């Protein structure tokens, strides 16, 4: 089953074509990577999927429903959440509070319920707190629950951002360079964690520069260069594709 279908999307900024007729399909339960040199348009594609940018042409479907005209909040509520290349945590809030913010996006109560602290509000907050603690345990941050997010080491801040995305209840998680700034041990831990997401029934679409992560975790890989899709396939096939080698290295090496 196709969970996400991106059909022939294009986006220009002034005279620059940032994304040019790109197609991407992500099936339920897959781990799919989008790679490419700096400036290839990878993060722009994520910004399009999540409603930050509106496409000039094309369509995007999630679970068979068109989402390309939705605002970001609606897209999150539909079941898509993301992390960012540059970590965007509330640094002066505690770790568990950052995770709870993810839960509040889809809270089943309104403003008046929170003001008057109704039974629905209290029940929902209790359930969200239990889930936040479980998520922190899943990402290995339970011991950091009441610390301030800004005091966490870089790798743990990455994990916290993933936990916050998971707290929205999303079925599709978009990870923008999750291994950036991590040492080899942290990257290995991240690999295991992303695999565990699939085991929990989630689908993952990621952007990543660490080829060790990409090649060891991806079911399929899409390659962008100057906003165009130049290759798509299994990791081993993509790694040996001449167009991909040229995009990364500036030419095909001699045999």
């Amino acid at each position: 089953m196709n969970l996400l279908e991106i059909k022939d999307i294009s986006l220009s900024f002034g005279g620059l074509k940032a994304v040019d007729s790109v197609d991407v399909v992500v099936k339920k339960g897959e781990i799919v990577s989008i790679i490419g040199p700096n400036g290839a348009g990878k993060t722009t594609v994520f910004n399009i999927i999540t409603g930050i940018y509106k496409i000039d042409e094309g369509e995007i479907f999630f679970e068979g429903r068109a989402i390309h005209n939705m605002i970001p909040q609606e897209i999150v509520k539909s079941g898509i959440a993301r992390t960012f290349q540059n970590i965007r945590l509330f640094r002066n809030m505690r770790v568990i509070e950052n995770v709870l913010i993810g839960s509040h996006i889809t809270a089943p109560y309104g403003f008046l319920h929170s003001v008057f602290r109704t039974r629905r509000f209290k029940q929902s907050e209790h359930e969200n707190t239990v889930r936040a603690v479980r998520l922190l345990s899943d990402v290995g941050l339970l011991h950091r629950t009441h610390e301030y997010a800004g005091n966490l080491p870089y790798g743990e801040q990455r994990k916290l951002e993933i936990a916050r995305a998971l707290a929205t209840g999303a079925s599709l998680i978009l990870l923008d360079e999750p291994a950036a700034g991590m040492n080899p041990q942290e990257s290995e831990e991240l690999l295991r964690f992303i695999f565990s997401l699939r085991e929990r029934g989630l689908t993952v679409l990621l952007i990543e520069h660490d080829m060790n992560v990409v090649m060891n975790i991806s079911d399929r890989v899409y390659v962008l260069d100057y906003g165009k899709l130049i290759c798509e396939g299994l990791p081993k096939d993509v790694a040996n594709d001449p167009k991909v080698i040229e995009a990364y290295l500036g030419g095909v090496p001699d045999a």
Side-chain angles (χ1 to χ4, degrees):
M1 171 186 172
N2 292 339
L3 187 66
L4 179 71
E5 294 184 69
I6 299 173
K7 298 184 176 181
D8 200 30
I9 61 169
S10 295
L11 175 66
S12 297
F13 297 112
L16 175 64
K17 200 103 172 184
V19 176
D20 190 357
S21 302
V22 169
D23 295 283
V24 175
V25 172
V26 181
K27 298 181 184 299
K28 184 176 176 60
E30 281 191 316
I31 299 174
V32 175
S33 293
I34 299 176
I35 67 172
N38 290 331
K42 305 180 297 296
T43 296
T44 301
V45 169
F46 267 28
N47 287 338
I48 289 171
I49 296 170
T50 54
I52 296 173
Y53 296 151
K54 297 301 179 184
I55 49 178
D56 300 326
E57 299 173 359
E59 298 173 303
I60 304 174
F61 294 90
F62 178 66
E63 295 184 326
R65 180 186 180 191
I67 63 169
H68 47 274
N69 290 320
M70 289 184 179
I71 62 175
Q73 295 92 321
E74 292 173 333
I75 292 172
V76 172
K77 289 180 179 180
S78 76
I80 299 175
R82 70 171 294 181
T83 65
F84 293 87
Q85 183 176 353
N86 298 313
I87 296 173
R88 299 185 185 182
L89 295 172
F90 295 95
R91 297 176 56 83
N92 295 321
M93 295 176 67
R94 299 185 190 278
V95 166
I96 194 166
E97 291 171 334
N98 271 269
V99 179
L100 287 170
I101 285 172
S103 302
H104 291 157
I105 292 175
T106 54
Y109 56 80
F111 175 70
L112 291 179
H113 288 281
S114 62
V115 170
F116 293 105
R117 302 184 67 81
T118 63
R119 180 179 297 179
R120 178 187 293 184
F121 169 83
K122 291 178 181 178
Q123 178 64 27
S124 179
E125 286 300 285
H126 172 72
E127 292 172 355
N128 287 341
T129 301
V130 170
R131 183 169 59 172
V133 170
R134 185 171 64 248
L135 286 170
L136 289 174
S137 178
D138 289 345
V139 300
L141 293 179
L142 189 59
H143 63 298
R144 303 287 197 183
T145 298
H146 298 294
E147 295 187 32
Y148 288 100
N151 293 338
L152 266 58
Y154 186 84
E156 292 188 348
Q157 289 189 26
R158 284 278 178 198
K159 292 178 180 179
L160 177 56
E161 197 175 36
I162 294 172
R164 185 177 62 187
L166 293 173
T168 66
S171 57
L172 173 63
I173 304 294
L174 277 55
L175 304 178
D176 193 345
E177 296 198 32
M182 291 187 175
N183 60 42
Q185 180 181 345
E186 289 172 331
S187 294
E188 287 298 321
E189 291 176 0
L190 176 70
L191 281 172
R192 290 192 292 271
F193 178 65
I194 294 176
F195 275 125
S196 76
L197 296 181
R198 177 163 61 185
E199 292 169 359
R200 290 164 51 182
L202 296 170
T203 304
V204 179
L205 179 62
L206 72 148
I207 295 169
E208 186 52 66
H209 277 297
D210 187 330
M211 288 299 102
N212 179 59
V213 171
V214 170
M215 295 303 161
N216 283 288
I217 204 170
S218 306
D219 294 306
R220 291 181 300 110
V221 179
Y222 288 85
V223 188
L224 294 178
D225 191 28
Y226 294 107
K228 285 183 170 291
L229 185 64
I230 62 170
C231 183
E232 180 265 325
L234 300 175
K236 61 182 179 61
D237 296 329
V238 167
N240 295 312
D241 188 283
K243 296 188 296 296
V244 176
I245 295 172
E246 183 174 5
Y248 271 96
L249 303 178
V252 181
D254 294 333

